[in-house]
Amino acid sequence: MDLEKIMEGLSKELTVSLKAMSKAKDLDEKETHSRIVKNISESLGVFFDLAGEMMPFDLDDDDEDLDGDERVIPF
């Protein structure tokens, strides 16, 4: 599961839903789109929270020595 692809997809869906909501003329249709926007926004928030919690554990920058050799990190 690629979190970046999921977040990118949700962002695109949010953009599409916002555009559809702005074009809606009927109040019920606007409400429907606003609920969709709210749900997508909350879903994105979950992924942003997860990414924020995982940042301290991101070892991509710390997994190499100064001379370029990879270190083995025992778990």
Coordinates of all heavy atoms in Angstrom, one line a residue:
M1 N 0.8 -1.2 0.0 CA 0.0 0.0 0.0 C 0.9 1.2 0.0 O 1.7 1.5 0.9 CB -0.9 0.0 1.2 CG -1.8 1.2 1.4 SD -3.1 1.0 2.5 CE -2.3 1.2 4.1
D2 N 0.8 2.0 -1.0 CA 1.6 3.2 -1.2 C 0.8 4.5 -0.7 O -0.1 4.9 -1.3 CB 2.0 3.4 -2.6 CG 3.0 4.5 -2.9 OD1 3.5 5.1 -1.9 OD2 3.4 4.8 -4.0
L3 N 1.2 5.0 0.5 CA 0.5 6.1 1.1 C 0.5 7.3 0.2 O -0.5 8.1 0.1 CB 1.1 6.4 2.4 CG 0.9 5.4 3.5 CD1 1.6 5.8 4.8 CD2 -0.6 5.1 3.7
E4 N 1.6 7.5 -0.5 CA 1.7 8.7 -1.4 C 0.7 8.7 -2.5 O 0.0 9.7 -2.8 CB 3.1 8.8 -1.9 CG 3.4 10.1 -2.7 CD 4.8 10.2 -3.1 OE1 5.7 9.7 -2.4 OE2 5.0 10.9 -4.1
K5 N 0.5 7.5 -3.1 CA -0.5 7.3 -4.2 C -1.9 7.5 -3.7 O -2.7 8.1 -4.3 CB -0.3 6.0 -4.9 CG 0.9 5.8 -5.7 CD 0.9 4.5 -6.4 CE 2.1 4.4 -7.3 NZ 2.2 3.0 -8.0
I6 N -2.2 7.0 -2.5 CA -3.5 7.2 -1.9 C -3.8 8.6 -1.6 O -4.8 9.1 -2.0 CB -3.6 6.3 -0.6 CG1 -3.6 4.8 -0.9 CG2 -4.9 6.7 0.1 CD1 -3.5 4.0 0.3
M7 N -2.8 9.3 -1.0 CA -3.0 10.8 -0.7 C -3.1 11.6 -2.0 O -4.0 12.5 -2.1 CB -1.8 11.3 0.1 CG -1.9 10.7 1.5 SD -0.5 11.2 2.5 CE -0.6 13.0 2.5
E8 N -2.4 11.2 -3.0 CA -2.5 11.9 -4.3 C -3.9 11.7 -4.9 O -4.5 12.6 -5.4 CB -1.4 11.4 -5.3 CG -1.2 12.2 -6.5 CD 0.0 11.7 -7.3 OE1 1.1 11.8 -6.7 OE2 -0.2 11.3 -8.4
G9 N -4.4 10.5 -4.9 CA -5.7 10.2 -5.4 C -6.8 10.9 -4.6 O -7.7 11.4 -5.3
L10 N -6.7 10.9 -3.3 CA -7.7 11.7 -2.5 C -7.6 13.2 -2.8 O -8.7 13.8 -2.9 CB -7.4 11.4 -1.0 CG -7.8 10.1 -0.5 CD1 -7.4 9.9 1.0 CD2 -9.3 9.9 -0.6
S11 N -6.4 13.7 -3.0 CA -6.3 15.1 -3.4 C -7.0 15.4 -4.7 O -7.7 16.5 -4.8 CB -4.8 15.5 -3.4 OG -4.2 15.4 -2.2
K12 N -6.8 14.6 -5.7 CA -7.4 14.8 -7.0 C -9.0 14.7 -6.8 O -9.7 15.5 -7.4 CB -6.9 13.7 -8.0 CG -5.5 14.0 -8.4 CD -5.1 12.9 -9.4 CE -3.6 13.1 -9.8 NZ -3.1 12.1 -10.7
E13 N -9.4 13.7 -6.1 CA -10.9 13.6 -5.8 C -11.4 14.8 -5.1 O -12.6 15.2 -5.4 CB -11.2 12.3 -5.0 CG -11.0 11.0 -5.8 CD -12.0 10.9 -7.0 OE1 -13.2 11.4 -6.8 OE2 -11.6 10.5 -8.0
L14 N -10.7 15.3 -4.2 CA -11.1 16.5 -3.5 C -11.2 17.7 -4.5 O -12.2 18.5 -4.4 CB -10.1 16.9 -2.4 CG -10.4 18.1 -1.5 CD1 -11.7 17.9 -0.8 CD2 -9.3 18.3 -0.5
T15 N -10.3 17.9 -5.4 CA -10.3 18.9 -6.4 C -11.6 18.8 -7.3 O -12.3 19.7 -7.5 CB -9.1 18.9 -7.2 OG1 -7.9 19.1 -6.3 CG2 -9.1 20.0 -8.2
V16 N -11.8 17.5 -7.7 CA -13.0 17.3 -8.6 C -14.3 17.6 -7.8 O -15.2 18.2 -8.4 CB -12.9 15.8 -9.1 CG1 -14.2 15.4 -9.7 CG2 -11.8 15.6 -10.0
S17 N -14.4 17.2 -6.6 CA -15.6 17.4 -5.8 C -15.8 18.9 -5.5 O -16.9 19.3 -5.6 CB -15.5 16.6 -4.5 OG -15.5 15.2 -4.7
L18 N -14.7 19.6 -5.3 CA -14.9 21.0 -5.0 C -15.4 21.8 -6.3 O -16.2 22.7 -6.2 CB -13.6 21.6 -4.6 CG -13.2 21.4 -3.1 CD1 -11.8 21.8 -2.8 CD2 -14.1 22.1 -2.2
K19 N -14.8 21.4 -7.4 CA -15.3 22.0 -8.7 C -16.7 21.6 -9.0 O -17.5 22.5 -9.4 CB -14.4 21.5 -9.9 CG -13.0 22.1 -9.9 CD -12.2 21.6 -11.0 CE -10.8 22.2 -11.0 NZ -10.0 21.7 -12.1
A20 N -17.1 20.4 -8.7 CA -18.5 20.0 -8.9 C -19.4 20.7 -8.0 O -20.5 21.1 -8.4 CB -18.7 18.5 -8.7
M21 N -19.0 20.9 -6.7 CA -19.8 21.6 -5.8 C -20.0 23.1 -6.2 O -21.1 23.7 -6.1 CB -19.2 21.6 -4.4 CG -20.0 22.2 -3.3 SD -19.4 21.9 -1.6 CE -18.0 23.0 -1.6
S22 N -19.0 23.7 -6.8 CA -19.1 25.1 -7.2 C -20.0 25.3 -8.4 O -20.6 26.3 -8.6 CB -17.7 25.7 -7.5 OG -17.2 25.1 -8.7
K23 N -20.1 24.2 -9.2 CA -21.0 24.3 -10.4 C -22.5 23.9 -10.0 O -23.3 24.1 -10.9 CB -20.5 23.4 -11.5 CG -19.2 23.9 -12.0 CD -18.6 22.9 -13.1 CE -17.3 23.4 -13.6 NZ -16.7 22.5 -14.6
A24 N -22.7 23.3 -8.9 CA -24.0 22.8 -8.5 C -24.9 24.0 -8.3 O -24.6 25.0 -7.7 CB -23.9 21.9 -7.3
K25 N -26.2 23.8 -8.8 CA -27.1 24.9 -8.7 C -28.2 24.6 -7.6 O -28.7 25.5 -6.9 CB -27.8 25.2 -10.0 CG -26.8 25.5 -11.1 CD -27.4 26.4 -12.1 CE -26.4 26.6 -13.3 NZ -25.4 27.6 -13.1
D26 N -28.5 23.4 -7.5 CA -29.5 22.9 -6.5 C -28.9 22.8 -5.1 O -27.8 22.3 -5.0 CB -30.1 21.5 -7.0 CG -31.2 21.0 -6.1 OD1 -32.1 21.8 -5.8 OD2 -31.1 19.9 -5.7
L27 N -29.6 23.2 -4.1 CA -29.1 23.2 -2.7 C -28.8 21.7 -2.3 O -27.8 21.5 -1.6 CB -30.2 23.8 -1.8 CG -29.7 24.0 -0.4 CD1 -28.5 24.8 -0.3 CD2 -30.8 24.6 0.5
D28 N -29.7 20.8 -2.7 CA -29.5 19.4 -2.3 C -28.2 18.9 -2.9 O -27.4 18.1 -2.3 CB -30.6 18.5 -2.7 CG -31.9 18.8 -1.8 OD1 -31.7 19.2 -0.7 OD2 -33.0 18.6 -2.3
E29 N -27.9 19.2 -4.2 CA -26.7 18.8 -4.8 C -25.5 19.4 -4.2 O -24.5 18.7 -4.0 CB -26.8 19.2 -6.3 CG -25.7 18.6 -7.2 CD -25.8 19.0 -8.6 OE1 -26.8 19.6 -9.0 OE2 -24.9 18.7 -9.4
K30 N -25.6 20.7 -3.8 CA -24.5 21.3 -3.1 C -24.2 20.6 -1.8 O -23.0 20.4 -1.4 CB -24.7 22.8 -2.9 CG -24.6 23.7 -4.1 CD -24.6 25.1 -3.7 CE -24.4 26.0 -4.9 NZ -23.1 26.4 -5.2
E31 N -25.3 20.3 -1.1 CA -25.1 19.6 0.2 C -24.4 18.2 0.0 O -23.5 17.8 0.8 CB -26.4 19.4 0.9 CG -26.3 18.7 2.3 CD -27.6 18.5 3.0 OE1 -28.7 18.7 2.4 OE2 -27.5 18.0 4.1
T32 N -24.8 17.5 -1.0 CA -24.2 16.2 -1.3 C -22.7 16.4 -1.6 O -21.9 15.6 -1.0 CB -24.9 15.6 -2.5 OG1 -26.3 15.4 -2.2 CG2 -24.3 14.2 -2.9
H33 N -22.4 17.3 -2.4 CA -21.0 17.6 -2.7 C -20.2 18.0 -1.4 O -19.0 17.6 -1.2 CB -20.8 18.6 -3.8 CG -21.2 18.0 -5.1 ND1 -20.5 17.0 -5.8 CD2 -22.2 18.3 -6.0 CE1 -21.0 16.7 -6.9 NE2 -22.1 17.5 -7.1
S34 N -20.8 18.8 -0.6 CA -20.2 19.3 0.6 C -19.9 18.1 1.6 O -18.8 18.1 2.2 CB -20.9 20.4 1.3 OG -22.1 19.9 1.9
R35 N -20.8 17.2 1.6 CA -20.5 16.0 2.4 C -19.4 15.1 1.9 O -18.6 14.6 2.6 CB -21.8 15.1 2.5 CG -22.9 15.8 3.4 CD -24.2 14.9 3.4 NE -25.2 15.7 4.0 CZ -25.8 15.3 5.1 NH1 -25.4 14.2 5.7 NH2 -26.8 16.0 5.6
I36 N -19.3 15.0 0.5 CA -18.2 14.3 -0.1 C -16.9 15.0 0.2 O -15.9 14.4 0.6 CB -18.5 14.2 -1.6 CG1 -19.7 13.3 -1.9 CG2 -17.2 13.7 -2.3 CD1 -20.2 13.3 -3.3
V37 N -16.9 16.3 0.1 CA -15.7 17.1 0.4 C -15.3 16.9 1.8 O -14.1 16.7 2.1 CB -15.9 18.6 0.0 CG1 -14.8 19.5 0.6 CG2 -16.0 18.8 -1.5
K38 N -16.2 16.9 2.7 CA -15.9 16.7 4.1 C -15.3 15.4 4.4 O -14.3 15.2 5.1 CB -17.2 16.9 5.0 CG -17.0 16.7 6.5 CD -18.3 16.8 7.2 CE -18.1 16.6 8.7 NZ -18.4 15.3 9.1
N39 N -15.9 14.3 3.8 CA -15.4 13.0 4.0 C -14.0 12.8 3.4 O -13.1 12.2 4.0 CB -16.3 11.9 3.4 CG -17.6 11.8 4.1 OD1 -17.7 12.1 5.3 ND2 -18.7 11.4 3.5
I40 N -13.8 13.3 2.2 CA -12.4 13.2 1.6 C -11.4 14.0 2.5 O -10.3 13.5 2.7 CB -12.4 13.8 0.2 CG1 -13.3 12.8 -0.7 CG2 -11.0 13.8 -0.4 CD1 -13.5 13.4 -2.1
S41 N -11.8 15.2 2.9 CA -10.9 16.0 3.8 C -10.5 15.3 5.1 O -9.4 15.3 5.5 CB -11.5 17.3 4.1 OG -11.8 18.1 2.9
E42 N -11.5 14.6 5.7 CA -11.2 13.9 6.9 C -10.3 12.7 6.6 O -9.4 12.4 7.4 CB -12.5 13.4 7.5 CG -13.3 14.5 8.2 CD -14.7 14.1 8.7 OE1 -15.1 12.9 8.5 OE2 -15.3 14.9 9.4
S43 N -10.5 12.0 5.5 CA -9.7 10.9 5.1 C -8.2 11.4 4.9 O -7.3 10.7 5.3 CB -10.2 10.3 3.8 OG -11.4 9.7 4.0
L44 N -8.1 12.5 4.2 CA -6.7 13.1 4.0 C -6.1 13.4 5.4 O -4.9 13.2 5.6 CB -6.8 14.3 3.1 CG -6.7 14.1 1.6 CD1 -6.9 15.4 0.9 CD2 -5.3 13.6 1.3
G45 N -6.9 14.0 6.3 CA -6.4 14.3 7.6 C -5.9 13.1 8.3 O -4.8 13.2 9.0
V46 N -6.5 11.9 8.1 CA -6.0 10.7 8.8 C -4.6 10.4 8.2 O -3.7 10.0 9.0 CB -7.0 9.5 8.5 CG1 -6.4 8.2 8.9 CG2 -8.3 9.7 9.2
F47 N -4.4 10.5 6.9 CA -3.1 10.2 6.3 C -2.1 11.2 6.7 O -0.9 10.8 7.0 CB -3.2 10.1 4.8 CG -3.9 8.8 4.3 CD1 -5.2 8.8 3.9 CD2 -3.2 7.6 4.4 CE1 -5.8 7.6 3.4 CE2 -3.8 6.4 4.0 CZ -5.1 6.5 3.5
F48 N -2.5 12.5 6.8 CA -1.5 13.5 7.3 C -1.1 13.2 8.8 O 0.1 13.4 9.1 CB -2.1 14.9 7.2 CG -2.1 15.4 5.7 CD1 -3.2 16.0 5.2 CD2 -1.0 15.3 4.9 CE1 -3.3 16.4 3.9 CE2 -1.0 15.7 3.6 CZ -2.2 16.3 3.1
D49 N -2.1 12.8 9.6 CA -1.7 12.5 11.0 C -0.8 11.3 11.0 O 0.2 11.3 11.8 CB -3.0 12.2 11.8 CG -3.8 13.4 12.0 OD1 -3.3 14.6 11.9 OD2 -5.0 13.3 12.4
L50 N -1.1 10.3 10.2 CA -0.2 9.1 10.2 C 1.2 9.5 9.7 O 2.2 9.0 10.3 CB -0.8 8.0 9.3 CG 0.0 6.8 9.1 CD1 0.1 6.0 10.4 CD2 -0.7 5.9 8.0
A51 N 1.3 10.3 8.7 CA 2.6 10.7 8.2 C 3.3 11.5 9.3 O 4.6 11.3 9.4 CB 2.4 11.5 6.9
G52 N 2.6 12.3 10.0 CA 3.3 13.1 11.1 C 3.8 12.2 12.2 O 4.8 12.4 12.8
E53 N 3.0 11.1 12.5 CA 3.4 10.2 13.5 C 4.6 9.4 13.1 O 5.4 8.9 13.9 CB 2.3 9.3 13.9 CG 1.2 10.0 14.7 CD 0.0 9.1 15.0 OE1 0.1 7.9 14.7 OE2 -1.0 9.6 15.4
M54 N 4.7 9.1 11.8 CA 5.8 8.2 11.3 C 7.1 9.0 11.0 O 8.1 8.4 10.9 CB 5.3 7.6 10.0 CG 4.3 6.6 10.2 SD 3.6 5.9 8.6 CE 5.1 5.1 8.0
M55 N 7.0 10.3 11.0 CA 8.2 11.1 10.6 C 9.4 10.8 11.6 O 10.5 10.7 11.1 CB 7.9 12.6 10.6 CG 7.1 13.0 9.3 SD 6.8 14.7 9.3 CE 8.1 15.3 8.3
P56 N 9.2 10.7 12.9 CA 10.4 10.5 13.8 C 11.0 9.1 13.5 O 12.2 8.9 13.8 CB 9.8 10.5 15.2 CG 8.5 11.2 15.1 CD 8.0 11.0 13.7
F57 N 10.3 8.2 12.8 CA 10.8 6.9 12.5 C 11.4 6.8 11.1 O 11.8 5.7 10.7 CB 9.8 5.8 12.7 CG 9.2 5.9 14.1 CD1 7.9 6.3 14.3 CD2 9.9 5.5 15.2 CE1 7.3 6.4 15.6 CE2 9.4 5.5 16.5 CZ 8.1 6.0 16.7
D58 N 11.4 7.9 10.3 CA 11.9 7.9 9.0 C 13.4 7.7 9.0 O 14.1 8.7 9.4 CB 11.4 9.1 8.2 CG 11.8 9.1 6.8 OD1 12.1 8.0 6.3 OD2 11.8 10.2 6.2
L59 N 13.9 6.6 8.5 CA 15.3 6.4 8.6 C 16.0 6.6 7.2 O 17.2 6.3 7.1 CB 15.6 4.9 9.1 CG 15.0 4.6 10.5 CD1 15.2 3.1 10.8 CD2 15.7 5.5 11.5
D60 N 15.3 7.1 6.3 CA 15.9 7.2 4.9 C 17.1 8.1 4.9 O 18.0 7.9 4.2 CB 14.8 7.8 3.9 CG 13.8 6.8 3.6 OD1 14.0 5.6 3.8 OD2 12.7 7.2 3.1
D61 N 17.1 9.2 5.7 CA 18.2 10.1 5.8 C 19.3 9.6 6.7 O 20.5 10.1 6.5 CB 17.7 11.5 6.3 CG 16.7 12.1 5.4 OD1 16.8 11.8 4.1 OD2 15.9 12.9 5.8
D62 N 19.0 8.7 7.6 CA 20.0 8.3 8.6 C 20.6 6.9 8.3 O 21.3 6.4 9.1 CB 19.4 8.3 10.0 CG 18.9 9.7 10.3 OD1 19.5 10.7 9.9 OD2 17.9 9.7 11.1
D63 N 20.3 6.3 7.2 CA 20.7 4.9 7.0 C 22.0 4.7 6.2 O 22.4 3.7 5.9 CB 19.6 4.1 6.3 CG 19.3 4.6 4.9 OD1 19.8 5.6 4.5 OD2 18.5 3.9 4.2
E64 N 22.7 5.8 6.0 CA 24.0 5.7 5.4 C 25.1 6.4 6.2 O 24.8 7.4 6.9 CB 24.0 6.4 4.0 CG 23.1 5.7 3.0 CD 23.2 6.3 1.6 OE1 24.1 7.1 1.4 OE2 22.3 5.9 0.8
D65 N 26.3 5.8 6.2 CA 27.4 6.5 6.9 C 27.9 7.6 6.0 O 27.5 7.8 4.9 CB 28.6 5.5 7.0 CG 28.3 4.4 8.1 OD1 27.5 4.7 9.0 OD2 28.8 3.3 8.0
L66 N 28.8 8.4 6.5 CA 29.4 9.5 5.8 C 30.1 9.1 4.5 O 30.1 9.8 3.5 CB 30.3 10.3 6.7 CG 29.6 11.1 7.8 CD1 30.7 11.8 8.7 CD2 28.6 12.1 7.3
D67 N 30.7 7.9 4.5 CA 31.4 7.4 3.3 C 30.5 6.7 2.4 O 31.0 6.1 1.4 CB 32.7 6.7 3.7 CG 32.5 5.7 4.8 OD1 31.6 5.9 5.7 OD2 33.2 4.7 4.8
G68 N 29.2 6.7 2.6 CA 28.3 6.1 1.7 C 27.9 4.6 1.9 O 27.0 4.1 1.3
D69 N 28.5 4.0 2.9 CA 28.2 2.6 3.2 C 26.9 2.6 4.0 O 26.7 3.4 4.9 CB 29.3 2.0 4.1 CG 30.6 1.9 3.3 OD1 30.5 1.8 2.1 OD2 31.6 1.8 4.0
E70 N 26.0 1.7 3.7 CA 24.8 1.5 4.4 C 25.0 0.9 5.7 O 25.8 -0.1 5.8 CB 23.7 0.7 3.6 CG 23.2 1.5 2.4 CD 22.1 0.7 1.7 OE1 21.5 -0.1 2.4 OE2 21.9 1.0 0.5
R71 N 24.3 1.4 6.8 CA 24.4 0.7 8.1 C 23.3 -0.3 8.2 O 22.2 -0.1 7.7 CB 24.3 1.8 9.2 CG 25.4 2.7 9.3 CD 25.3 3.6 10.5 NE 24.2 4.5 10.2 CZ 23.7 5.3 11.2 NH1 24.0 5.2 12.4 NH2 22.7 6.2 10.8
V72 N 23.5 -1.3 9.0 CA 22.5 -2.2 9.3 C 21.9 -1.9 10.7 O 22.7 -1.7 11.6 CB 23.0 -3.7 9.3 CG1 22.0 -4.6 9.8 CG2 23.6 -4.0 8.0
I73 N 20.6 -1.7 10.7 CA 20.0 -1.3 11.9 C 19.2 -2.5 12.5 O 18.3 -2.9 11.9 CB 19.0 -0.1 11.7 CG1 19.8 1.1 11.1 CG2 18.3 0.3 13.0 CD1 18.9 2.2 10.6
P74 N 19.7 -3.0 13.6 CA 19.1 -4.2 14.2 C 17.8 -3.9 14.9 O 17.7 -2.8 15.5 CB 20.1 -4.7 15.2 CG 20.9 -3.5 15.6 CD 20.9 -2.6 14.4
F75 N 16.8 -4.8 14.7 CA 15.5 -4.6 15.4 C 15.3 -5.7 16.3 O 15.6 -6.8 16.1 CB 14.4 -4.5 14.4 CG 14.4 -3.2 13.6 CD1 14.9 -3.1 12.3 CD2 14.0 -2.0 14.2 CE1 14.9 -1.9 11.6 CE2 14.0 -0.8 13.5 CZ 14.5 -0.8 12.2

